[in-house]
Amino acid sequence: MNIFQQLWKSLYSPKTISFFRFQGIGKTISYIFLLMLISSLPFFIQFSLLATSGLSSFREVIQQEVSSFTIEHGQLTSPSPETKWIKKGTTDIIIDSTGTVAANDLAEKDQAIGLLKEELVLSVGGQLQTVSYDIPGITAIDKEEVIQYAHSLQAYSAIFLPVLFILYYLFTSCLGFIKASIFAAFGMLFKQLTGRKLFYRQSWRLAAYAMTPAIIVFTLLRLAGIILSFSFLIDWLITAIMLFLAVSSIPLPKSKKQPVAK
C-alpha cells in the first residue's frame, strides 16, 4: 500500500491503521511529513494572496483613504482620532492609532493587515503574525515610507515567500512529530484500558496515522475560510478517538481471549 492509499484508508478505517504498527519507521516519518505539508497548504495559499493582492489593497487604502501618520518610538500616531476598518477585496485593513484594537481582534479574519498602536499585524486564515514597531535603527516612519515598504515587499515576494514557506513547513513538521509522540503515550494508556499488546514504537506509528482525519478536516475548513471555536480541542479529541479505535482493533492476545463454549 503506497502512502496515498494509506492516507485514504486512515481517514475512515481504524482497523487498517492498526496494521500499520508493523511497518518501517521511515515510512511513518515520511507520512508525517506528507500530513504536515497538507496542513500547511492553507497558510501557503492565503499568505501568497496576502503578499500579492493583499499588499496591493493595503497600498491603495493607505494612499487614498488614510491621512498622514507616523510610526515613532515604537508607536503609531495620527491626526485622526478614529479607527479605520476598511474592506478592500478579500482583505480587511485596519488603521488604529488609539490602541482600542488588539491583535486578537484580527484572528477571526481570513486575510487582514493591521497597523495597530504598537505593532503591525498580519492575519492569515486565523493565524496571527505580529511585528513590533520598536525596531533598532529605525527612528521614525511616515505614510510615504510605509507605502514604499509595502511596494518593496510585493516586489521581492518571489524571494522571501519560498523561504518563509520552508521555515513554516519545518516548524509545522516539528509540531507534528511532537503531537505524534504525545499521542503515542495516550496509545499506551489505551493499551492498558483495552488489554491489547502494544509497544511504544508501535503506538507512535498508530498515532501518526490517527492524526489524519483531524488534519484533513481542519485543512479543508481553513481552505473554505471556516474557523471553529476550540479547534485545538476538537482536533485532539478526533485524533484520540481514532487512536483508541485503532488500538481497540488490535487482536487480543490469545491468553486473554474468552474460551469457546463447548
Side-chain angles (χ1 to χ4, degrees), residues 161-176:
L161 281 179
V163 175
L164 175 65
F165 293 163
I166 291 171
L167 293 175
Y168 181 84
Y169 174 55
L170 292 175
F171 176 73
T172 304
S173 296
C174 288
L175 293 181

Side-chain angles (χ1 to χ4, degrees), residues 124-161:
V124 182
Q127 298 187 52
L128 296 177
Q129 305 292 326
T130 62
V131 180
S132 173
Y133 299 143
D134 194 10
I135 301 174
I138 297 180
T139 55
I141 304 173
D142 60 19
K143 171 182 170 177
E144 295 304 320
E145 288 177 303
V146 169
I147 294 172
Q148 185 60 41
Y149 287 144
H151 176 74
S152 298
L153 283 174
Q154 193 172 8
Y156 291 104
S157 61
I159 298 175
F160 78 81
L161 281 179

Side-chain angles (χ1 to χ4, degrees), residues 182-198:
I182 293 173
F183 274 99
F186 289 162
M188 300 307 291
L189 174 62
F190 297 154
K191 158 199 164 180
Q192 298 295 331
L193 295 175
T194 59
R196 264 59 179 183
K197 184 178 180 180
L198 187 70

